[in-house]
Amino acid sequence: MRTTLTIDDDLIQALKDLAHQRGISFKVLVNETLRRGLSAGEPPRAAVEPFRVISAPRGFRPGIDPTKLNQLADELETERFIGTDHRVAAGSATEDSDGDTIGGVDAAGSDGGSGGG
C-alpha cells in the first residue's frame, strides 16, 4: 500500500544512514522500525488503586418492621386524617348510597334532609 508521510529531516537522515549501514532499502528499514515500535507498545502503567465508593450504612429506623410497611402507611394516613377538619359545612347536605340526606344541619338545628335511616 502506498502512503505519503511527512517525516522530520533528522529522522529521514538517521533512517537513510542506518539503511545504508545494514545494506537494506529505506522502505524495508522503515517497515521494520514501525513493526518494532508497534510490538513494543507502551510500558505497563504503574498499578493504580481502583476508584471505590464507600457508602454509609442504610436501613430502616429502629422500631420499623419492613414487613409491616403497609400497616405503617395506614397508620400515617389515619393520623393525617384525624389531624384535619372533617366537619360538614352548615346548610350543606350529602346523600348516602340509599339516597338519604345526611349531615346537613341548618342554623336552627333542624334536620336538613327529608329522609331518615
Side-chain angles (χ1 to χ4, degrees):
M1 182 168 122
R2 187 165 241 182
T3 301
T4 302
L5 295 174
T6 302
I7 303 174
D8 294 338
D9 291 338
D10 60 323
L11 290 175
I12 291 284
Q13 191 58 51
L15 289 168
K16 284 182 179 181
D17 291 344
L18 188 57
H20 181 68
Q21 289 173 4
R22 292 181 54 191
I24 58 175
S25 72
F26 179 77
K27 174 183 167 183
V28 171
L29 179 68
V30 170
N31 284 321
E32 285 179 3
T33 305
L34 288 173
R35 280 191 186 92
R36 277 197 312 257
L38 289 174
S39 67
E42 292 184 22
R45 289 184 165 187
V48 178
E49 187 174 330
F51 180 78
R52 295 187 309 174
V53 175
I54 301 171
S55 63
R58 300 285 182 221
F60 294 103
R61 292 183 177 175
I64 295 179
D65 183 0
T67 60
K68 295 184 178 183
L69 291 178
N70 286 337
Q71 179 182 352
L72 176 63
D74 290 343
E75 290 172 6
L76 292 173
E77 185 177 348
T78 302
E79 288 176 11
R80 189 181 67 228
F81 181 81
I82 291 171
T84 59
D85 187 15
H86 297 288
R87 290 179 283 167
V88 177
S92 66
T94 306
E95 290 185 1
D96 64 7
S97 61
D98 295 335
D100 296 331
T101 303
I102 55 173
V105 176
D106 61 19
S110 63
D111 184 359
S114 61

